[in-house]
Amino acid sequence: MELDIRGGVRAAPVAGRTPEERQALRFAPDPRERTADPDHVARTAREAEEDGFDSALVVQSSSWPDPWLVAAWALAATRRLRIAVAHRVGTTAPTVAARSLATLDRLSGGRAAAHLIVGSSDADVLRDGDGLGKADRYRRAAEYLEVFRRTLTERQGFDHEGEFYSVRDALSGLRPQPSGELLSFGGSSPEGRDLAARHAEVYAIPPLPLPATRRTIAEIRSAAAAYGRTLRIWRHITVVLDASDEEAGARARRITRDALRLTSGADSALWTEAVQLDRDRERGRADPDQGQAQVAAYVRRSIAGAYVGSPETVAERIGLLRTAGVDTVQLDMAVETDQDRELRRALVTRLKRPELASRRGW
């Protein structure tokens, strides 16, 4: 099966006054403030389609623009690109969300999908009025997905009486006809894997060393097989490209210096209040009173985990993931200049080569 190459569509440009600043701040935690820029959404979606991407993700957070509406704008601007909408369970009723997905899929000619999440930060979900702890959110997600799936597939009205949801004579007047996956799910906990195995077409795996990646893929596919299902595997990769490995290394070092400088200035509170840092604080990975140090650690961690090199080198590294069983690769990279876009095209071209799609055994 051909490798699915995924990008992302943001509602607005990354913070920064120059291309170099925006390249650097791509590796900083995302500020809670984000506007909706219609020209940016349409242009970046079209460019992703033109550059050979198959799909793109629209992300979600409590303070950001509505991802369903951003996805609709991106789909209207394109003809082939599929869009996965990050949707947090609990923000709307499952019947309403299912109709939103079905409507978007129909209007786009089968190009919409939902990436379902439970919310990794207690603080961020509470900003939308959700006071459940993570364990309870997973339990609710199991019931949510049952109702969500039934709404997408049932042709007769149905009732449901559960712990979190109660519906009577629920019926959607339209059903999706997706050309790709309809639902994806992540989460490395046993509960997350089970939900993916039962309900999703695609499972998003966390960044892991290659042997652990192989084990995780084997385990989740085995879990899906127990339900008589198959799963495609999605892996997010942050990328720093340049013409050569040496130049890419130099660019990564420059990005690190710039990101550390820019996030420590007069506007540092924009980054210390980022949602990604809520997660670190809740997991005991950071001192709430050391916000600036936490931002710096996040920047260094982002760069350390990136695939840095020429398009040839990065394509070879991604090829190893492909042999481990990854079907969808999301390329997260700064595209702020013509050179950035040329490098991205070069990488996508290499990833589209038939030998990469077929060499599952190397």
Side-chain angles (χ1 to χ4, degrees), residues 55-87:
S55 60
L57 174 69
V58 177
V59 295
Q60 185 272 349
S61 185
S62 63
S63 62
W64 294 347
D66 185 296
W68 293 104
L69 300 181
V70 175
W73 202 261
L75 286 164
T78 54
R79 292 295 175 264
R80 180 186 57 80
L81 191 72
R82 291 180 281 106
I83 301 290
V85 185
H87 172 62

Side-chain angles (χ1 to χ4, degrees), residues 3 210 213-214 217 221 315-327 329 355-362:
L3 181 68
L210 202 59
T213 295
R214 290 194 182 97
I217 291 173
R221 283 189 165 145
E316 285 295 318
R317 289 191 66 184
I318 292 173
L320 296 176
L321 289 174
R322 181 67 169 134
T323 65
V326 172
D327 304 292
V329 171
E355 59 266 28
L356 183 67
S358 62
R359 290 164 69 182
R360 295 293 288 267
W362 44 299

Side-chain angles (χ1 to χ4, degrees), residues 168-328:
R168 295 287 180 272
D169 194 27
L171 176 67
S172 174
L174 75 168
R175 277 157 292 282
Q177 292 184 322
S179 58
E181 81 271 15
L182 186 64
L183 298 180
S184 58
F185 203 86
S188 56
S189 68
E191 297 88 349
R193 291 188 184 188
D194 184 66
L195 287 174
R198 283 194 284 150
H199 296 286
E201 283 77 45
V202 176
Y203 176 66
I205 62 170
L208 296 167
L210 202 59
T213 295
R214 290 194 182 97
R215 288 195 300 272
T216 299
I217 291 173
E219 290 166 0
I220 189 64
R221 283 189 165 145
S222 175
Y227 291 105
R229 309 183 67 254
T230 59
L231 278 173
R232 288 173 60 85
I233 305 299
W234 163 18
R235 168 74 144 77
H236 173 276
I237 301 169
T238 305
V239 177
V240 178
L241 294 177
D242 216 314
S244 69
D245 293 350
E246 293 75 17
E247 290 169 293
R251 174 180 277 208
R253 291 189 290 274
R254 188 264 297 169
I255 284 173
T256 303
R257 291 193 300 270
D258 287 351
L260 293 173
R261 173 180 56 82
L262 291 165
T263 55
S264 62
D267 296 328
S268 61
L270 288 175
W271 290 278
T272 57
E273 296 174 358
V275 172
Q276 292 100 322
L277 304 190
D278 285 335
R279 295 198 298 260
D280 287 350
R281 286 187 282 263
E282 290 165 7
R283 295 167 184 171
R285 292 170 60 178
D287 184 338
D289 297 324
Q290 299 294 321
Q292 192 55 58
Q294 191 183 5
V295 172
Y298 180 94
V299 168
R300 292 191 174 95
R301 191 164 66 241
S302 298
I303 294 290
Y307 282 24
V308 179
S310 66
E312 295 86 349
T313 296
V314 171
E316 285 295 318
R317 289 191 66 184
I318 292 173
L320 296 176
L321 289 174
R322 181 67 169 134
T323 65
V326 172
D327 304 292
T328 298

